[in-house]
Amino acid sequence: MVEHGDIRVVHRGGSKINYREPVVTNDSRFLLCASGERVKVFSTSTEECVHELRGHTDLVTGVLLRPSNHLQVYSSSVDGTVRLWDFTDGILIKTYVIGYPVYSFYASANHGGVLFIVTPTQSDKRSELFQLVAVDLPQSGDQQVEARELSAVLSDVSCIPATIGFGRGGEYIASAKGLDLVVYFFKKGKSYRFPLKEDNKKGGKNTFLCIACHPKDDCIATGHEDGKIRLWRNFNHKKEYTYSTLHWHHNAVSAMCFTPEGTNLLSGGLESVLVQWRYNQESQRDFLPRLGSAIKHIAVSPDGALFCTSHSDNKITIIQSCVKVSAVIQGLVKGESVTTDLMVDPRSKSLVLNGKPGHLQFYSLQRDKLLYNLDIVQQEYIHESGLEQFEVVKVAFDASGNWMATVEERKQKDAELEFNLKLWAFDEQTQSFVLNTTVSAPHEARITAMCFCQATDSQTTMLVSASKDGHFKAWQLPRSARAEDEGPSWSCDFVGDYHGLVPECCCFSADGSLLAVSFQEVVTVWSPASWELLTTLSQPPKAVRDLCFGRLSCSKYLLGTTDNNLLCCWNLLTCSLEWSTSMDVSLLLIDPLTENMAAFCYQDGSSDLFVFKPSEPRPVFSLKAVCSGKVTQAVFAPREEMLESCEESSQWLNRSQLYFLTQYTDLMTFTTKAEEDRLMATSKQLVIDDSVARTPFYLLLGKHRKQENQDSLSSLSAEMMPVPQGSVAIKELLQTPAHVLPSTSFLCSMFVQSLLVSVTDGREESKHAEEEMESEKEEEDSEGEMESSTTRPEPVSLGSQSAESAALTKAQLRELRRVKKLDHGWLTGLLLS
Amino acid sequence: MASYKPTKIQIYPKLGEKVTQDTLYWKNYKAPVQIKEFGAITSIDFSPVAPHNFAVTAFTRIHIYGPFSQEPVKTLTRFKDTAYCGRFRSDGQLLVAGCEDSVVRLFDVSGKVALRMFKGHTKAVHVTDFTSDRYQIFTGSDDYTCRLWDIPNATELNSYREHTDYVRCGVTSKLNRDLFITGSYDHTLKLFDARANKSVMTMDHGQPVESLLLYPSEGLLVSAGGRYVKVWDLLKGGQPLVSMKNHHKTVTCLCLSSNGQRLLSASLDRHVKVYNTTNYKVVHNFDYAASILSVALAPDDESIVAGMTNSILSIKHRKSPEESNEVSGQQRRRPSYRVFVKGKNYVPKQDDYLVSKPVKQHLAKYDTQLKKFNVSKSLDTALETWTRLRKPEITVAVIKELDRRGTLKNALAGRDEQGLGRLLNFLIGNVVDPRFAPVLAPAAEMILDVYRQVIGQSPLVDRQLLRLQDLLEREIDYQQDLVEVLGMLDTLFASSLPRMEVARPGASRANGLAQGEAGASRPQLQAT
């Protein structure tokens, strides 16, 4: 075995953004949310991630705007620290070390310098009991401050952040856990407890799930498991409290929020409907239905203009005052199980797996962004627990990405399995897949495997589906498009079986001339051209689990794994077993670009990876204990640009990258050290100025401009090296304080462009200079002319000056700067127009 | 916020024949007018001149009907015995008919008494016709002869004794006054030239010839006899072109559509088939109640008249263009033009502030109810008469959707007698349809579960439940029969396939093809 120190397994993308409530900044331009060990800053208008605040070493459990400075934000983490950030620049300002894991934290404007945090009662992490403690944040100039002054406020609270809230003006804090509502009044230093009965007569569950306190009124709204909302009033007396009940939700209320003025109450739950209740006129409600999936958190911007809901499918929706969805920030959707294998769309090179119920998600690995969700089932999703829904279970792409096949199924108890095979054609115009054919009940029993013919040069594509009913079917698109208005649709071409055995997996050879279908312990090899059974291969006594044809130089090999932990390699030329080895392979897959194959083996509770070539006895690469648990989904994704690693052990990563899903549906990949270094370097460059709204157009244009600048700069440096003045001017430009200068990007491009033009227009420039010498008055006139005409003359004057003045004094330079600044105003205006 | 996704209505493969231009054309007739005659209708002939009356020969009478009347405008009754083959002359003034008593009679269409009687045949005369010069009559008789008669003198011009059996059909050429063709029960067709004393061409049909037809160009001859319809090329000396066997009983009559593109053949098997005359494929098929002896098409295909052995005359008139457009016209009622166009052509001015109206999604009635989770109401709307009868797939789709939402029971429950009756009616109509059975069978079970308590309270519902039970029992019997037939077929296939195929493991090609046809969206047979 070869040891490989430099290849390691890393998390790749797809971190949760719905773990905690998002925060909208005061100017409603940014949205901050906790995402794994980082805090992400999104732009509310363009949905792009602007910054990532990195520094925490464990899960971030909360984000809060600093009440005294709206440009700073606190974040808390399980690593026992609270950090203060400047989110506009993405700078860490301070770290408060608390020493206990923080599960949620709260702050109020009326309690300056104090944070309220929820920590476990015992210091060990596993404890189920939590307490609310107040932390005095020491005033200190240091980067890292120890904050150890803790004073308990409430004991026995819930660690869910939604169950604690500050009341009007920070006078009291309300906390709910189980069936108890506790209100603690800071002035009195007393807490009142309001218990609910375990079960009322109608069988509803009264457990508190969330809490919201009215900002202007003494009123606490609580959400319950049976879908009721209770509005508590008069709770500063132990006995005379009252509550009224609102009931619209039919499932648990999971999130509630008052608008900043307290006029409306927002609530949401599993139904994925945002309900807006008018405060004091609760019979009037507004609804925003079909938000996609269950609402987990609701946040309102401080000015009340934007509502944010974060959903269980890793999505944040930004809503303009309960009317219109203005933006959707969507992360990688992680269902409970990925029933489709991981796939790579050959066209967009994006990762395809099932996401939202009934959808396929196309996830760009390079950009770590969800490209789009494709609705496969095309049915209204009913948000109700315990309802069987259609699920996408199989996906296949053909080699060119023109066709996609999906299988969706729905199993109801005591009813037949419903399943459909759908074929989708890629539409160039809409750049998306369009449904071409639906085959309802293509087989009599569940489909076990499905694959497209991968030959790129063949005229017609072919799909083979194998089913538990003992048949496999070949589907083909008829070549002769009939003259009817609807285009050609797929139909069954051949039905095959083998002694009534159940086919388990099927695989086409790389050139599409052979089809291998495994029937339990027998592998049958068919010729798709004539549908003749060519040969059978078998390795009794156990059933074949995975089948794979070799590629390129190894195309004569067929590999399979069996249930009795055997990896077999058959030679198709001799129709005999070439070699076999004993290993418990849970997944066998082939790199579509090279002849490498990867096998994940399950051993002692963890998975090992072997990368090998079928023709060589020694594995190319092996890594023990890649992750715990079985790996059942993995895929080779082609790289955008090839790596040039010459090391033997990492060569297999040169052309494609191996992604896999762990037991807990974490997306992981293998990287080399060199690649990581390069990634770090690029991420440092990518600090983006956010003075302009970051629309896609801006991104495009901004990049273009920057490139232009670089190009011109390099050409400038090549041409202008002998001219010392230019460099002097640049040096001067760099020496002046930054706050006096206009935006550098403008300045730079202007300045550089001006220099360029002056060189090419030498003749005109000299003439101009002469005129300048002749009379001051005329110059003024001409100056006026220039301003009214075009942008071109202006750089000329600049260039002439820089060219002629061999030794400019500092005063002159300053003058020059002033002129330049004057002109830039209208120039940018012209540029923008 | 995604918009509501409407219920998916599954498109089922159309059962039965495909809709083609021909089906549309030949279906575009009104319900038939049926008139009872006195005996089997042996011949129908349309007058060549307007108003295109037609003469119907049945028993001892010839009735002449107007194009729109249901009563005969004229009746010719002076026959001593069964009349045969009443034919109009090309000017529509004279009519000739044969008779069982061997006398050929010539009538003036406006008169009652025969103008001329041609006596000479010794047996029943089944064929009569005018030659194209209008002065002669050609007849064919059961005495194996065919004769030419001169009308003015009522004398026999010529007699041909070449056939060896009854002469039962014949046509005269419309282009040449001397040519006529006869068909006989001796299986031959003979082309005669009046200028010669014997036949000039003989063709063998192979069956007793029942009917003959000449194309307007007279290059092709069509003959019908036995189950066959054959086409002959006269210009190539009587070479057979096509032989068609589409009926399963004797073909009795032929006629050509007005544009000459379609050929109709009527048969004792109660069908009239329409052929395309370019490829001689059947493009349409009419069913009648009894065996058809004669069929005729009015000029411009304005009506189809068929006479049957049970002495019923069936007349189908073409629908007028307004009538055929009526159905679609009613559906497409839209707001008046002015309302419709209001504001559509308004061009916004420079400083107008545009307020865009959200585009309203149009939903079907049942979808609006489903969107509001009104499950019972949505089922009600889907069970409305028109939908239930015309588009059962919509009703089935709504039931399926309700089932998917887990609310089908709620939607089915709580119905009164009328509502339940409607539901059961729908079930009785569709539950055995293999396309709908997987959805409707569980729904029927659910209905029985829900309404178990009320059985016996309403006679209407009970009757329908009994019908449903009866239907299901019959369906089970059918399915069993089908399985038996399938088993028989399997044995047949197994014995007929070559040995090698059987020995080879894996699927046979035949199996693949049979399944492949139904592959696109396969309705599965299901034993309920």
Side-chain angles (χ1 to χ4, degrees), chain A residues 294-349:
Chain A
I295 295 174
K296 285 185 79 176
H297 309 285
I298 301 175
V300 184
S301 70
D303 57 357
L306 292 182
F307 302 161
C308 294
T309 54
S310 71
H311 298 262
S312 58
D313 62 351
N314 209 7
K315 177 175 83 173
I316 297 176
T317 313
I318 299 165
I319 299 158
Q320 283 178 341
S321 318
C322 209
V323 189
K324 207 176 90 196
V325 172
S326 66
V328 175
I329 299 163
Q330 173 88 63
L332 183 70
V333 185
K334 283 178 191 164
E336 299 87 67
S337 61
V338 177
T339 44
T340 61
D341 276 343
L342 294 183
M343 286 281 164
V344 169
D345 175 18
R347 209 172 261 271
S348 61
K349 308 278 183 280

Side-chain angles (χ1 to χ4, degrees), chain B residues 355-361:
Chain B
V355 181
S356 62
K357 202 169 107 185
V359 181
K360 208 177 168 192
Q361 189 191 12

Side-chain angles (χ1 to χ4, degrees), chain B residues 137-154:
Chain B
I137 289 173
F138 140 76
T139 60
S141 162
D142 284 358
D143 60 7
Y144 308 167
T145 63
C146 36
R147 299 172 197 226
L148 273 178
W149 310 82
D150 185 40
I151 294 176
N153 309 333

